[in-house]
Amino acid sequence: MDVAFSLDPALPKRRGVEQAIRSAAAQGLLPEGSRMPAARELAADLGVSRGTVVAAIDDLVADGLLVTRPRAGTFVARTPTTVGRAAPEAAPTAPRLDLRPGRPESGSFPAARWAAAVRRAASTALMTNPVDDDGAGSLELRTELAAYLARSRGVETTPASLVVSAGYRSASTVLAVAMRSLGMAEVAIEDPALPGIDHLWRSAGLRVLDLPVDARGARTDRIGRDTDAVVLTPAHQFPLGGALDAERRRDVVAWARRTRRFIVEDDYDGEFRFDRRPVAALQRSAPDQVVYAGSVSKTLDTRLRLGWMALPHDLVAPVRASLLTLTGGVPLLDQLALADLIRSGDYERHVRRQRREYARRHDVLLRALSRVGVPVPGIPAGLQAVVPIATALRPPADADGQIRSGDFVTHSLDRYTRQHAQAPAAVVGFATPPRGTFGTAIDALTRWLQQDPR
Amino acid sequence: MDVAFSLDPALPKRRGVEQAIRSAAAQGLLPEGSRMPAARELAADLGVSRGTVVAAIDDLVADGLLVTRPRAGTFVARTPTTVGRAAPEAAPTAPRLDLRPGRPESGSFPAARWAAAVRRAASTALMTNPVDDDGAGSLELRTELAAYLARSRGVETTPASLVVSAGYRSASTVLAVAMRSLGMAEVAIEDPALPGIDHLWRSAGLRVLDLPVDARGARTDRIGRDTDAVVLTPAHQFPLGGALDAERRRDVVAWARRTRRFIVEDDYDGEFRFDRRPVAALQRSAPDQVVYAGSVSKTLDTRLRLGWMALPHDLVAPVRASLLTLTGGVPLLDQLALADLIRSGDYERHVRRQRREYARRHDVLLRALSRVGVPVPGIPAGLQAVVPIATALRPPADADGQIRSGDFVTHSLDRYTRQHAQAPAAVVGFATPPRGTFGTAIDALTRWLQQDPR
């Protein structure tokens, strides 16, 4: 028996010992019939005299909790009712037809391939990899990423300018603290955007300027005089789904260069353009002013929490330092597994396969909506589409931006807006349902759109 | 060929196209001999006229970079020298005799067992686990942890009060932001402590009070009137190695209860006490005032970045919300793998095995140091010991607190102190060297301690 007892210092000692044993038993640490440690041992553990322990045990025997058998020892006679323990928590179950945005196809994760890569990494790399983390992450992964990001997104970077992150939010937390430490005070963020991303930047001590978004993308003309950095989703605005138009791209790059300010390019789904090759990352136009951020959240699984930033030279050291201080680094086995997948070509094959599937689904969605007379704005890309809805279909404010109808659930655009109102719409994630239920999910969506809104 | 080209908006179009192709070739995206996409295709991708692309290609043919073969197309003739790419980064190599503190035995990680658990998790659990993360982490892991922490450390908690974290630093970042959001403004932190932990709390906007540490542990009498929370390592002060004495334990618990303030209990190596059962966690004395934090960093590998917090009721919701906003959650496969290891008993078997090994090493270290007349303060516990050194052996301030001698490296205590000076000492991590080099490392340490300090 290896049970840790602890005295409540607020109680007299004898009462404290009694309480410690009671509490251990109530927690199931002393099952019925189990033998108690010797009084001498208990006394040493608890830092009290043997006499105190013997007295407390006598109390518990009198109480019927313990029983003493001559020449055998003291045993637990019964387990007291557990007190103060919360009712068991039920695991939340996912709705059957899940059209909430943000996640790749359920069941598409290359599980066997990933597990094999983790096995290889665990068996050799933990030994050979340096224990000294400088906040940049695995050099092996950064080397693969530099080449991959150049191939797939035109990013101009080097392993030395890359930092591995635990996904986009963690990357942003680290970046925000690093920027604040450099004296930056204001960040402009698209409105609508990823929920809570404004809170994240405020938590690091920065002011947030809400940047409205129209059909041409973020209103880059509204960037403030004192704005130090602007967070954009230029390839595919999240969640509205448009691309930042060429003139605004030029303007914002020119602004960053002229004023030596920074652009944070959130390239969350840049791998998924369906009608043409994707426009290259904005980062390529100004590698010294653009932080390029990406992750595996849309390509593999959001729950891996693994991403990267390609950094302007001046930000490399501050970001590495912040990452080490705030997080201690990114899980190494996952980094090495991803490096393995990229090196083998399996990562890009998986992305291509999923791109074909999402392109097909996007097409099915648009045709279904067109049949019920609902136009979908935005470019053919990504994993989500904005679907205009009747005002009466807008969910009440207390629904937390969830739209539910029968078995199906999606998000209201309200969940993503902050200061600047948008016309009522649903943000439909068409990637998530497994192949077998995708059609049913789209049917449920179109039925809901047609319902009498009265 | 699936290359993303990008126009530099600062250049005239023809020059921009030329530059885009040059840059792609310099990055190795267009290997020698590869065929260029058709001018029409390139024009569509870049958003320029076909004529502009043809003109730019003419320039590059004139330059010798491209070559046109009649009826075959345009090909890359040579790869230009890569410009602006940093020299390849060398992976830092670990010193041969590594006595820096903080890491478990190199090579002890149960790699095959972990990989098998990840495989099981990846093949089934990603499908069956809810996609809705509420910031608490896997219920499966929290259920295992609640029972494990009660068994091993006497922690009184429930799955509903536990939050899974990406290690202690990430947990602290999330906790600090949550506490700040509740209006807390001052945290007291032991001095010496984990490097940078004061910066971490300051980054969230809190004031830091440096709490001196003496032979009886943290000076809890120095907690301020306005201190909202105090961060302690009561079981085994890091890095000094003492235990918080009983009177101070009582005092600080009484303070927290009386004033409704919080204690953050960093139980970083509570599993490793060599001479007796460990004193139970402080948390047990006041579950409503103590945040209990632990991790696998000392039991499995620091580079897994996986830990937990048992939270007072009032902090559960704010901490979950902060965790979701700041990090997006903790990698799920690792959580499920750890749950698997705990459930099977393999985790505790591994901890017991390592405890025996570290106890042996602690004994070897103390005997070796006693032979050269160096007394080691602190209790027999954990993975590191403070070794007093001659003033002349203290490394210069620019050495970043590293002590190096030949093949061997350890840390100076200076690396961990902030405001309150300590006598010169090394913080020796005796757990890290693989079994084959442990003896050699201790020999190197004792030789260094005996060297003429002139």
Side-chain angles (χ1 to χ4, degrees):
Chain A
M1 198 182 308
D2 202 348
V3 177
F5 296 94
S6 168
L7 279 190
D8 183 338
L11 295 174
K13 282 187 179 168
R14 177 173 170 171
R15 184 81 187 82
V17 173
E18 187 197 325
Q19 193 49 50
I21 295 170
R22 247 181 229 288
S23 173
Q27 285 178 79
L29 303 179
L30 301 170
E32 283 182 29
S34 64
R35 183 192 177 139
M36 290 293 293
R40 199 178 48 247
E41 218 173 318
L42 261 177
D45 277 2
L46 292 165
V48 298
S49 74
R50 188 175 168 282
T52 305
V53 170
V54 168
I57 285 179
D58 283 349
D59 293 345
L60 290 163
V61 168
D63 197 24
L65 189 84
L66 300 181
V67 62
T68 301
R69 297 193 204 131
R71 281 188 304 277
T74 304
F75 295 80
V76 179
R78 60 171 173 84
T79 302
T81 318
T82 303
V83 181
R85 179 166 275 202
E89 192 180 348
T93 48
R96 210 172 62 84
L97 304 174
D98 192 346
L99 289 175
R100 291 172 298 182
R103 293 191 166 81
E105 182 188 354
S106 177
S108 65
F109 180 68
R113 181 66 186 83
W114 183 265
V118 168
R119 194 182 60 238
R120 262 197 293 278
S123 60
T124 61
L126 275 187
M127 283 294 286
T128 58
N129 259 261
V131 290
D132 266 340
D133 192 328
D134 57 4
S138 151
L139 175 58
E140 197 176 324
L141 175 56
R142 288 182 285 124
T143 303
E144 293 302 328
L145 279 174
Y148 165 69
L149 294 174
R151 282 195 299 274
S152 68
R153 302 293 296 124
V155 173
E156 282 205 20
T157 190
T158 64
S161 301
L162 278 163
V163 162
V164 181
S165 79
Y168 177 64
R169 283 185 186 267
S170 186
S172 298
T173 298
V174 164
L175 180 64
V177 168
M179 286 185 157
R180 186 75 196 98
S181 76
L182 293 170
M184 301 185 205
E186 183 177 289
V187 61
I189 305 181
E190 293 174 336
D191 175 9
L194 189 64
I197 200 75
D198 53 325
H199 288 299
L200 182 158
W201 283 85
R202 277 196 203 95
S203 296
L206 284 98
R207 279 190 313 279
V208 171
L209 182 74
D210 296 311
L211 212 58
V213 179
D214 63 22
R216 295 169 55 212
R219 291 283 303 271
T220 49
D221 56 311
R222 298 279 197 93
I223 293 171
R225 279 180 62 98
D226 298 326
T227 298
D228 296 294
V230 53
V231 183
L232 298 173
T233 48
H236 190 218
Q237 206 281 331
F238 187 82
L240 292 179
L244 187 63
D245 86 359
E247 193 185 327
R248 289 192 184 163
R249 276 174 79 99
R250 267 196 300 277
D251 287 351
V252 73
V253 166
W255 163 80
R257 281 202 176 134
R258 193 179 62 242
T259 59
R260 316 283 302 158
R261 309 291 170 88
F262 293 101
I263 298 167
V264 181
E265 178 175 22
D266 173 12
D267 196 40
Y268 66 103
D269 68 357
E271 298 85 352
F272 297 112
R273 178 87 192 228
F274 308 136
D275 56 335
R276 45 163 288 180
R277 287 197 195 120
V279 179
L282 199 64
Q283 187 268 359
R284 191 179 178 116
S285 304
D288 285 338
Q289 308 303 136
V290 179
V291 175
Y292 172 88
S295 80
V296 303
S297 291
K298 305 294 179 279
T299 56
L300 293 176
D301 196 296
T302 47
R303 294 165 295 177
L304 287 180
R305 309 314 306 155
L306 190 55
W308 46 81
M309 284 188 281
L311 293 163
H313 181 268
D314 295 349
L315 295 179
V316 172
V319 165
R320 286 185 179 189
S322 284
L323 191 141
L324 261 195
T325 298
L326 299 183
T327 76
V330 174
L332 181 61
L333 293 177
D334 296 337
Q335 295 187 58
L336 297 173
L338 180 60
D340 185 331
L341 259 71
I342 298 177
R343 192 170 39 242
S344 68
D346 286 342
Y347 183 73
E348 276 153 283
R349 271 187 288 278
H350 179 75
V351 168
R352 276 198 298 273
R353 203 161 41 232
Q354 293 307 117
R355 188 191 296 134
R356 281 194 298 272
E357 173 66 13
Y358 300 152
R360 181 187 74 78
R361 291 181 178 208
H362 184 262
D363 197 49
V364 169
L365 174 70
L366 260 63
R367 278 198 264 171
L369 294 177
S370 145
R371 275 196 296 273
V372 297
V374 175
V376 173
I379 59 174
L383 286 67
Q384 91 281 351
V386 159
V387 176
I389 59 177
T391 306
L393 288 177
R394 187 173 224 158
D398 62 359
D400 191 29
Q402 304 260 354
I403 293 172
R404 288 177 180 274
S405 170
D407 260 2
F408 123 86
V409 62
T410 188
H411 279 168
S412 165
L413 179 53
D414 296 337
R415 199 181 160 93
Y416 303 86
T417 51
R418 299 194 302 275
Q419 293 297 320
H420 300 95
Q422 296 277 343
V427 182
V428 171
F430 52 82
T432 310
R435 299 193 190 191
T437 67
F438 174 69
T440 322
I442 298 302
D443 289 348
L445 171 69
T446 49
R447 266 200 312 280
W448 173 73
L449 285 168
Q450 290 175 282
Q451 82 186 31
D452 181 359
R454 205 168 8 91
Chain B
M1 200 183 309
D2 204 345
V3 178
F5 295 95
S6 167
L7 279 190
D8 184 336
L11 294 175
K13 283 185 177 167
R14 177 171 169 173
R15 184 81 187 82
V17 174
E18 189 197 324
Q19 193 49 48
I21 296 170
R22 247 181 229 287
S23 172
Q27 285 179 76
L29 304 179
L30 301 170
E32 283 183 30
S34 65
R35 185 190 175 139
M36 290 293 293
R40 200 180 45 250
E41 219 175 317
L42 261 176
D45 277 2
L46 293 165
V48 298
S49 74
R50 186 174 171 281
T52 304
V53 170
V54 170
I57 287 179
D58 283 348
D59 293 345
L60 290 163
V61 168
D63 197 22
L65 188 86
L66 301 181
V67 62
T68 301
R69 294 190 206 134
R71 278 186 306 275
T74 303
F75 295 81
V76 180
R78 62 174 172 82
T79 302
T81 319
T82 304
V83 180
R85 179 167 274 201
E89 192 179 347
T93 48
R96 212 172 60 84
L97 304 175
D98 192 346
L99 289 175
R100 291 171 298 181
R103 293 191 168 79
E105 182 188 354
S106 177
S108 65
F109 180 68
R113 181 67 187 83
W114 183 264
V118 168
R119 193 182 59 237
R120 262 197 294 278
S123 61
T124 62
L126 275 186
M127 283 294 287
T128 58
N129 259 262
V131 291
D132 266 341
D133 191 330
D134 58 4
S138 150
L139 175 59
E140 198 177 323
L141 175 56
R142 288 182 284 124
T143 303
E144 294 301 329
L145 280 174
Y148 165 70
L149 294 174
R151 283 195 300 273
S152 68
R153 302 292 297 122
V155 173
E156 282 207 19
T157 190
T158 63
S161 301
L162 278 164
V163 162
V164 181
S165 79
Y168 177 64
R169 284 185 184 266
S170 187
S172 299
T173 298
V174 165
L175 180 64
V177 168
M179 286 184 157
R180 186 75 195 97
S181 76
L182 294 169
M184 301 184 204
E186 183 178 288
V187 61
I189 305 180
E190 292 174 337
D191 175 9
L194 189 64
I197 201 73
D198 53 325
H199 288 299
L200 182 157
W201 283 85
R202 277 197 204 95
S203 295
L206 284 98
R207 279 190 312 276
V208 171
L209 182 73
D210 296 311
L211 213 58
V213 179
D214 63 22
R216 295 170 54 214
R219 291 284 303 273
T220 50
D221 56 310
R222 298 279 197 94
I223 292 172
R225 280 180 61 97
D226 298 326
T227 298
D228 296 295
V230 53
V231 183
L232 297 174
T233 49
H236 191 219
Q237 207 280 333
F238 186 81
L240 293 180
L244 187 62
D245 86 358
E247 193 186 328
R248 290 193 185 164
R249 275 174 80 100
R250 266 196 301 277
D251 287 351
V252 72
V253 167
W255 163 81
R257 281 202 178 134
R258 192 178 62 244
T259 60
R260 316 281 303 156
R261 309 290 170 90
F262 294 101
I263 298 168
V264 181
E265 178 174 24
D266 173 12
D267 195 40
Y268 66 103
D269 67 357
E271 298 85 352
F272 298 112
R273 177 87 192 229
F274 308 136
D275 56 336
R276 47 164 285 183
R277 288 198 195 120
V279 179
L282 199 64
Q283 188 267 359
R284 190 179 177 116
S285 304
D288 285 338
Q289 307 304 137
V290 179
V291 175
Y292 172 87
S295 80
V296 303
S297 291
K298 305 294 179 277
T299 55
L300 292 176
D301 195 295
T302 48
R303 295 165 293 177
L304 287 181
R305 308 314 307 152
L306 190 55
W308 46 80
M309 283 188 282
L311 292 164
H313 181 267
D314 294 349
L315 294 179
V316 171
V319 166
R320 286 185 180 191
S322 284
L323 191 141
L324 260 194
T325 298
L326 298 183
T327 75
V330 174
L332 181 61
L333 294 178
D334 296 338
Q335 295 187 58
L336 297 173
L338 180 59
D340 185 332
L341 259 71
I342 297 177
R343 191 170 41 242
S344 68
D346 286 341
Y347 183 73
E348 277 153 281
R349 272 188 286 278
H350 179 74
V351 167
R352 278 197 296 273
R353 202 160 43 230
Q354 292 308 117
R355 188 191 297 134
R356 282 194 297 273
E357 173 65 13
Y358 300 153
R360 182 186 75 78
R361 292 182 179 206
H362 183 262
D363 197 48
V364 168
L365 174 69
L366 260 63
R367 280 198 262 171
L369 293 177
S370 145
R371 277 196 295 274
V372 296
V374 175
V376 173
I379 59 174
L383 287 67
Q384 90 281 349
V386 159
V387 175
I389 58 177
T391 307
L393 288 177
R394 187 172 223 159
D398 60 359
D400 192 29
Q402 305 260 353
I403 293 172
R404 287 176 181 277
S405 171
D407 259 2
F408 124 85
V409 62
T410 188
H411 279 169
S412 166
L413 180 53
D414 296 337
R415 198 182 162 92
Y416 302 86
T417 52
R418 298 194 303 274
Q419 294 296 320
H420 300 95
Q422 295 277 344
V427 182
V428 171
F430 52 82
T432 310
R435 300 194 188 189
T437 67
F438 173 69
T440 321
I442 299 303
D443 290 348
L445 171 70
T446 48
R447 267 201 312 280
W448 173 74
L449 285 168
Q450 291 176 279
Q451 81 186 30
D452 181 358
R454 199 176 17 91

